[in-house]
């Protein structure tokens, strides 16, 4: 049952973060400026992982991290557009929806 605590905590942190981000945008601090500063800070922190070493992938496999980065970037832009133009109480639950592609059958 303890394994449910991490997703629950993450969802609460996301909602509070979205509320604070929306409040900051109302007070004049732009959503995009906040995102750029946060991304620069996190990139500086995670750049230190290069010091741990490791090995590079062969060039044929570079499309996988590039695709993941592109999808993350698109998701972040769309989430920020939803928070900038809409209300947090509407945008946050909609972003948490999971649409099922196949109906569940009870046989």
């Amino acid at each position: 049952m303890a394994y449910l605590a991490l997703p629950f905590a993450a969802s609460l942190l996301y909602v509070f973060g979205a509320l604070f981000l929306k409040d900051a945008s109302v007070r004049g601090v732009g959503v995009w400026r906040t995102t750029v500063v946060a991304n620069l800070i996190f990139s500086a922190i995670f750049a230190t992982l290069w010091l741990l070493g490791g090995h590079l992938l062969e060039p044929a496999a570079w499309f996988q991290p590039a695709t993941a980065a592109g999808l993350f970037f698109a998701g972040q832009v769309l989430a920020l557009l939803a928070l900038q133009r809409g209300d947090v109480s509407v945008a946050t639950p909609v972003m948490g929806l999971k649409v099922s592609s196949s109906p569940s059958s009870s046989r």
Side-chain angles (χ1 to χ4, degrees):
M1 197 67 169
Y3 59 89
L4 295 175
L6 288 177
F8 179 69
S11 66
L12 286 178
L13 287 173
Y14 181 81
V15 169
F16 285 122
L19 286 170
F20 286 131
L21 190 61
K22 186 67 174 183
D23 186 50
S25 70
V26 168
R27 294 175 187 252
V29 179
V31 173
W32 301 103
R33 181 180 298 131
T34 305
T35 302
V36 167
V37 170
N39 284 339
L40 287 174
I41 291 170
F42 281 118
S43 65
I45 291 170
F46 284 112
T48 60
L49 293 176
W50 281 101
L51 301 175
L52 296 177
H55 65 283
L56 288 177
L57 298 173
E58 61 274 357
W62 287 0
F63 76 93
Q64 295 169 345
T67 302
L71 290 172
F72 176 77
F73 179 75
Q76 190 175 29
V77 167
L78 292 174
L80 289 173
L81 281 174
L83 291 175
Q84 182 183 22
R85 297 184 181 190
D87 193 25
V88 173
S89 64
V90 174
T92 304
V94 170
M95 284 188 262
L97 287 179
K98 179 182 180 287
V99 180
S100 176
S101 60
S102 62
S104 62
S105 61
S106 58
R107 290 186 183 190

